[in-house]
Amino acid sequence: LHYPLRRQRQMCIRDSSSTHPRSRRNQRPKLYVVSIGTSDYTGEEMDLQYADQDATSMALALQSVGGALFSNGDSLEIHCLTTVKNATELEGSEIEWQYADKENIESTFKTIQQKAKAEDVIVVYLSGHGVARSGRDQTQFYYLTQGVASEESLNDPRTLDAYTISTEEFTTWINAIPALKQVLIIDACNSGQLVENITNKAVALNSSQIRALDRMRDRTGMFLLSGSASDKVSYEASQYGQGLLTYALLQGMRGVAARKDAEGQEVIDVMKLFQYARDEVPRLASTINGIQTPMLGFPSQGASFDIGILNDKAKANIPIGNEKPIMIRSNFMNEDTYNDDLQLVKLLESSFRKQSAKGVKAQLIYVDVNDYPRAYALRGLYSIEGEKIKICLLYTSDAADEEDSV
């Protein structure tokens, strides 16, 4: 895993002694963004509602704020990798889209490695499932890509190798990129383990890993932020149609976490943005009786830096959801058989899931649980009279002890 420091220095010397030193010196930093989301896994057991859209939203938001700071968009390269069938939301943008499998993700990092310079900035965002598993040397975080069908399938080393990305692989890929200012955001279950690995809080690292992680943490100036949802339900428990960490980051980028620079412009500072999200997510989670405390890691020697400028155009183009009504599991029975013979519950919840999958554009959010703070539930009895169905419907909510029937 160790990327030789001597080779890196030689690269810097060759660059600085270019045949065009003046133009090289005047070249402005470039912002690279790699935004990855995985919603559609193999089968349906692991599927998520928001991961693809959250990755798309982050790519669009970083394009909006980054364009004003990095040579008015000329020094901006954004990659978005998701599992959607067609990336219609990116039409008309200059964002490069690919399908989010492991091969394409690795290829994107290697492409940036060949082009990036020391003065550049790279922001990596991950949304989807993650697991923490014990290995020979340490417990590692694994980001799951689309080829995974279930957590049980990860017991097969071939599946783990082919369809997940480990801490070691992230270390290798990112450590090989020359950009000295690096940002990593992980909105996935168990992602706190990755922060522990990279910030050296984990024990039992071998000497090669220690050298690689130290270089990535201190010399490159990596800033890390991870969500802390414990499971799929907690991860998707959001009344905004977005993951809570992603929502807080987008909210911060719209100005809540911006700071004024010497010229009076609102700029997006990495540390200020991360600190806002770290404090805001627990507050958002508490409104639905949840507990989420993001983990923050930053280099001991590195100073914070800006990743964007917020102007009116950028603010208008940051996609962020508004609060939506939440529906939970329904219950309907035939009053004669006390069974849901018409499978109304299945049909209704399928409709709710399709609406909820629209994320920020959804009119409601469906959460597959029996109880949820301030949520609405539909229950009722029905009778079949010829070709007609008569339903006595009751809807309840603990938002204000509401209950009504029709």
Side-chain angles (χ1 to χ4, degrees), residues 193-309:
Q193 185 63 51
L194 181 57
V195 176
E196 287 188 0
N197 292 155
I198 294 178
T199 56
N200 217 17
K201 293 179 182 176
V203 296
L205 297 175
N206 61 45
S207 59
S208 178
Q209 289 172 318
I210 291 173
R211 288 194 300 272
L213 294 176
D214 278 346
R215 268 178 39 80
M216 186 164 64
R217 184 190 61 204
D218 290 328
R219 189 193 65 80
T220 61
M222 172 168 279
F223 286 75
L224 305 103
L225 181 69
S226 78
S228 60
S230 59
D231 52 35
K232 177 178 175 179
V233 172
S234 299
Y235 173 74
E236 300 207 302
S238 168
Q239 62 271 51
Y240 303 102
Q242 293 170 312
L244 291 184
L245 179 62
T246 300
Y247 177 82
L249 288 168
L250 294 173
Q251 190 180 51
M253 279 193 276
R254 289 194 75 185
V256 180
R259 66 169 176 81
K260 297 269 189 177
D261 66 6
E263 299 177 0
Q265 298 180 111
E266 288 188 293
V267 297
I268 309 302
D269 176 277
V270 169
M271 179 59 82
K272 188 173 178 63
L273 178 64
F274 277 16
Q275 288 174 333
Y276 171 79
R278 182 192 60 187
D279 295 340
E280 181 67 3
V281 168
R283 188 194 69 78
L284 293 171
S286 69
T287 65
I288 51 177
N289 293 350
I291 300 175
Q292 288 195 43
T293 306
M295 293 185 66
L296 173 62
F298 53 91
S300 58
Q301 303 295 324
S304 186
F305 50 89
D306 300 332
I307 56 172
I309 292 176

Side-chain angles (χ1 to χ4, degrees), residues 66-141:
L69 178 61
F70 293 87
S71 299
N72 293 317
D74 294 335
S75 290
L76 192 65
E77 183 173 313
I78 300 184
H79 301 263
C80 184
L81 297 94
T82 63
T83 54
V84 296
K85 294 180 180 178
N86 49 68
T88 55
E89 293 184 44
L90 298 178
E91 291 179 356
S93 74
E94 296 183 0
I95 296 174
E96 299 181 30
W97 179 85
Q98 290 187 80
Y99 189 77
D101 58 25
K102 183 173 181 178
E103 181 180 356
N104 285 341
I105 294 171
E106 182 178 8
S107 174
T108 299
F109 279 99
K110 289 184 176 180
T111 297
I112 295 173
Q113 175 191 344
Q114 295 169 359
K115 297 188 289 184
K117 311 176 299 297
E119 62 266 31
D120 293 338
V121 179
I122 180 168
V123 178
V124 179
Y125 170 89
L126 298 170
S127 181
H129 279 297
V131 298
R133 297 176 71 88
S134 298
R136 288 177 299 175
D137 298 317
Q138 64 172 142
T139 297
Q140 287 204 67
F141 167 81

Side-chain angles (χ1 to χ4, degrees), residues 38-70:
T38 306
S39 288
D40 187 13
Y41 289 85
T42 300
E44 297 182 356
E45 180 183 336
M46 303 285 287
D47 286 354
L48 295 169
Q49 296 185 96
Y50 307 136
D52 280 339
Q53 184 178 261
D54 283 356
T56 301
S57 295
M58 286 296 294
L60 290 168
L62 289 166
Q63 181 189 48
S64 297
V65 299
L69 178 61
F70 293 87

